[in-house]
Amino acid sequence: MYSIPVNPEYVESIIETERPDGLMLGFGGQTALNCGVKLDEFGVLKKYGVKVLGTQIKGIQATEDRQLFKDAMVECGVPVLKSKTVYNFDEAKKIAAELGYPVIIRVAYTLGGKGGGVAHNEIELHEIVSRGLNASLVGQVLIEEYVGHWKQIEYEVMADHSGNNVIVCNMENVLSMRVHTGDNIVVAPSQTLDNYEYQLLRSAALRAAKHVGIVGECNIQFALDPKSDQYVAIEMNPRLSRSSALASKATGYPIAYMAAKIVMGYSLPELVNRITKTTTACFEPSLDYIVCKHPRWDFSKFELANRNLGPTMKSVGEVMAIGRCFEESLQKSIRMLEIGNDGLVANRSPGKSYDVEELENKLQNPDDHILYHVAEALRQGISVERIYKLSAIDPWFIEKIQNIIQTEKKLKESKLESNLLREAKQFGFSDKQIGRLVGKDDLDIRKMRKESGIVPVVKQIDTLAAEWPAKTNYLYLTYGGTTNDFEVDKNQEKIAVLGAGPYRIGSSVEFDWGTVNMVWGLKENGVKEVVVINCNPETVSTDYDICDRLYFEELTLERVLDIADFEKLTGIVTAVGGQTANNLTPKLAKNGIKIIGTSSEDIDRAENRSSFSKVLDELHISQPPWKAFSSLADAKKFAINVGYPVLVRPSYVLSGAAMKVVWSHDQLKKYLEEAANVSPDYPVVITKFMLNSLEAEVDGVSDGKNVVIGAIVEHIEGAGVHSGDSMMCIPPWSLSNKIIETITDYTNKIAIAFKIKGPFNLQFLIHSNQVYVIELNIRASRSMPFVSKFVKMNLISLAARAVLGKTLPPVPKDKWRKTHSYGIKVPQFSFMQLEGADIILGVEMQSTGEAACFGDSFYDALSKGLISVGYSLPKEGAVLITAGGLENKEKLLRTSMLLKNLGYKIYATEHTAEFLTEKHIGNEIVYKISEPERKPNIADLLYERKINFIVNVPSTSTLEKYVGMLYDEFQIRRKAVELGIPVLTTTELADSFAKTLEWLQHNETTKKPLEPYDSLE
């Protein structure tokens, strides 16, 4: 296993070392496909005699190259839209004029519709084509006629070497062709096709897959005219995709496993259906339930982002709900998103009200609230036909939403009898929603339900709609049934592990790693049965062969209690499911559920900002000055006393949600209200925000008496950038031994004081050589997999012992300091997809992923990390430097000198140019984007690719972002992102980047495999 960039240069070096016989390209998303195509193009595969397993390069090119795809479809009799591939704007303009606006621009060899869009005029066309050509691996875009009102249907195809093929699943996108499938609400199986349409598209999918030579798995998307049987193929993915993961979890058909077997040479009839254990993989799944996939968006973290949905994917994660009707699965999916809503209706916040004209505009221009707008339109009496005409959502789905609205009305107006209660539950209403509508507490509704015998039944995912007996542990709960599909041994010891729900900013694959490793750790430590509850189709923890029983379900108090009642659980582990599971801890404990690991009371002492701060005071451990918010007047008084800026910090939140740096009285009022709304049941704390500080953190495990420190990790950016957005380094690159000893001492004292039994993460601030504690999370953290891999010690395996009350094994003192290498974790951002979003970082997290690389030196590891997340590290070229305020210009002086000495041409904006000239650093002055008549202009240089990277450090990033946006600087950053040009927005990152470029001029990066975990027995 190599933790290196997946690009031709690095992969070739591994091929040279390892000399593999074959290469699988279909399992690593678009990155792996693009890399494989380039390796073939450069002659690497031929040079080393490496065979591509599965779909061949020719087949990949026939699906990824827009013109070749179009030609291939025509050859096999599958219709396509009128379109043409182009390589420059002049060609695009000509084709758009021929087709007529609007047109859709699709980019070759990209992921998630990256760089594409819908152009309604020539100005929009120029913008989209420019960024699309840059985003494409081969500098190619497709200009295509727009059919936004047509249905969007997908088929998952599995094919083997022998010509056998099956449709694993077909799916329908509720929001039609207007919205990228990654941002669409998707149902499986399709609900509005008749048998003729289904078979028409099915045969086209099989024909297309066979023609391009698919071996393994592929996804094909069709557009279907709702008014006729006319259809066209839109695109084909010759690899596992998000849709493949959804289809796999929706049907129980293990697509990745079967595809791996097929590319190794097995045929479909040779492989056994892993759920029935009797039928072969040649049987097409048949479903007696409906699955609803709902995307999760995090627009609230990007103040200027355009929330409208279209052909470019903007969501950061997704959930999948299983029910016996659309109404049930839809409302379940909304709860799974964890956005504060309990369903489509009857939520805590009623939502904005609109008049008919505004609503019709919202329906025509969908955003992340589109389904709520449909619901409101129905309430206001807009007809189903009118909503369909405006939104392109099929009337079948609108009528199902109308059922939810009518049930809401009945609950408001009628007495709550058992028949109405049962109907509401069958339509997916939660106890909270029902309680809100009838004026009762949710636990009172729960009690009433149980007394009336209205409880959910447990059903199996059996892939063949009960036509064959299923031997499966893959389960869901529904009110659309009367009997359970199986019974459990009530006397057997069993522990449930709560997963982390949907991927979102702040919670990603790291918590999935934690969940899976906790399951394995519990089994290794003698737990007879381990149950997992989670709802994310993209995770390993929702593979049914990981645990003894998998409940693909909501992570809500109501549903977890339902499962606990059915299973008679011994206890629940909440320490590896991120903030989602942590937030359930006190509620579960209050309802009599045993929490396995650190007690609920101790977790609450850490999560509640006020009580945590008091414990630190008792331990005589320094912390920034703080005060629990009780009134705005008190808050203002505190801010005046300590001086602005101050930091508003709500309790029980993830990724700095509603955490803000405040610079003025007006802001204080606004952000206190926001924070109170995000975490309404807990106090909001205001702390002094310390400028010019460093941040560090510790990942560790404790058994209540012994503490194992995994590592002390230092952030490369200074305080003010959220830990999830900051680059991280092990060992610390600038901390003194004295500071490291203080952090170690504080960590041991705090872990014992909070009686931690399991994993924890502790965060520190270093200001003027003094250590301050800022936060304790008594749970697994985002950085725990990174730390575990670096120190060769699986912290979650240790945590599994600790949560069971066992003593931790002896670990060599300061093990992390004895590793003679460096580890760097670099965040991955998705600003390109979020139109209008600014890339300036702050205390609220914005990154959507990360890469971890290891090396013999700091710059060895950092260079690989930067390349992994998409930075180009040019050996020559030009840099644009623009810095706000004298302090930042002074901080960038050495960086500027270094770049000049390395031979880079320096462009600078007016005031920065004056400063550099005064310091005798040669540069060329350039003018603002907003002054196009002044030359040389930054916009021209960006479009002409004359700038290789940009250093843009605003005077005070937070002040600029939240008090007065400097529009010119925002324009530079935004244009650069759209053109794929690296932008460095902190002095620390600029310095590290420049020194990495210097290091690369004299050194080569290492390519070493990861070492296995050490045995601690």
Side-chain angles (χ1 to χ4, degrees), residues 634-934:
D634 284 350
K636 279 186 178 176
K637 193 174 172 185
F638 171 79
I640 291 165
N641 287 342
V642 298
Y644 286 103
V646 294
L647 185 66
V648 174
R649 304 175 70 101
S651 303
Y652 278 101
V653 296
L654 178 76
S655 70
M659 193 184 289
K660 292 287 190 291
V661 178
V662 172
W663 299 81
S664 67
H665 284 334
D666 289 343
Q667 278 187 298
L668 188 62
K669 180 175 186 292
K670 178 189 173 191
Y671 292 132
L672 280 173
E673 286 168 359
E674 269 185 32
N677 193 43
V678 165
S679 190
D681 303 325
Y682 302 98
V684 174
V685 168
I686 306 168
T687 63
K688 170 63 183 165
F689 181 68
M690 295 178 164
L691 293 165
N692 301 316
S693 303
L694 301 172
E695 270 195 66
E697 57 187 271
V698 169
D699 278 323
V701 178
S702 174
D703 60 15
K705 293 177 183 173
N706 307 290
V707 181
V708 172
I709 291 178
I712 295 176
V713 187
E714 184 179 0
H715 299 186
I716 291 175
E717 286 90 349
V721 174
H722 189 278
S723 62
D725 286 351
S726 182
M727 293 193 295
M728 293 181 169
C729 175
I730 316 174
W733 65 314
S734 72
L735 302 184
S736 67
N737 283 334
K738 185 185 173 190
I739 286 173
I740 287 172
E741 283 160 17
T742 303
I743 288 173
T744 303
D745 177 52
Y746 284 2
T747 301
N748 283 302
K749 284 179 179 172
I750 289 169
I752 300 302
F754 282 90
K755 303 172 190 168
I756 296 174
K757 289 183 180 175
F760 68 90
N761 169 270
L762 192 53
Q763 295 179 14
F764 299 89
L765 204 64
I766 298 95
H767 184 75
S768 301
N769 278 323
Q770 181 158 353
V771 177
Y772 299 85
V773 171
I774 51 176
E775 185 171 83
L776 169 65
N777 293 303
I778 304 182
R779 55 169 172 80
S781 70
R782 279 182 306 275
S783 49
M784 216 158 255
F786 168 56
V787 170
S788 294
K789 288 173 173 65
F790 179 81
V791 296
K792 297 185 289 181
M793 177 172 64
N794 190 324
L795 294 177
I796 297 299
S797 290
L798 291 178
R801 293 187 187 199
V803 299
L804 293 170
K806 296 184 177 184
T807 303
L808 291 173
V811 173
K813 190 175 186 301
D814 290 342
K815 186 177 189 299
W816 64 276
R817 296 181 84 174
K818 292 166 184 155
T819 304
H820 302 296
S821 61
Y822 281 80
I824 302 279
K825 185 160 81 77
V826 182
Q828 169 83 60
F829 298 93
S830 299
F831 293 117
M832 169 74 140
Q833 281 90 328
L834 293 167
E835 186 187 334
D838 192 11
I839 67 170
I840 288 291
L841 305 177
V843 292
E844 189 163 5
M845 186 173 164
Q846 297 184 358
S847 61
T848 52
E850 63 190 19
C853 289
F854 307 92
D856 291 345
S857 72
F858 176 84
Y859 297 108
D860 181 19
L862 179 58
S863 59
K864 288 184 281 191
L866 290 168
I867 292 167
S868 294
V869 299
Y871 284 86
S872 53
L873 300 176
K875 292 183 178 174
E876 58 186 17
V879 55
L880 168 64
I881 301 177
T882 167
L886 183 60
E887 187 182 353
N888 283 333
K889 289 181 177 70
E890 294 279 4
K891 283 181 180 177
L892 286 171
L893 188 55
R894 283 189 181 179
T895 304
S896 305
M897 277 182 186
L898 175 58
L899 290 169
K900 190 68 184 172
N901 292 337
L902 290 173
Y904 294 90
K905 181 175 185 176
I906 294 178
Y907 292 111
T909 48
E910 274 183 277
H911 297 301
T912 306
E914 285 169 15
F915 175 81
L916 293 176
T917 303
E918 278 174 26
K919 302 295 180 183
H920 309 293
I921 298 172
N923 66 87
E924 185 177 330
I925 191 167
V926 289
Y927 296 99
K928 297 172 182 176
I929 291 175
S930 62
E931 301 173 327
E933 70 286 348
R934 300 183 77 185

Side-chain angles (χ1 to χ4, degrees), residues 446 450 490 560-569 593:
R446 179 179 185 80
K450 291 174 85 171
K490 309 285 186 188
V560 174
L561 290 177
D562 289 336
I563 293 167
D565 286 348
F566 178 75
E567 286 275 352
K568 298 290 183 280
L569 293 172
I593 303 294

Side-chain angles (χ1 to χ4, degrees), residues 971-986:
Q971 279 189 309
I972 293 170
R973 293 190 291 270
R974 188 66 223 170
K975 282 279 175 283
V977 163
E978 289 171 6
L979 294 169
I981 297 167
V983 185
L984 317 169
T985 59
T986 65

Side-chain angles (χ1 to χ4, degrees), residues 276 278-279 283-288 462-470:
T276 63
T278 53
T279 57
F283 274 66
E284 294 193 355
S286 174
L287 313 186
D288 57 0
D462 63 6
T463 78
L464 293 172
E467 291 173 29
W468 293 79

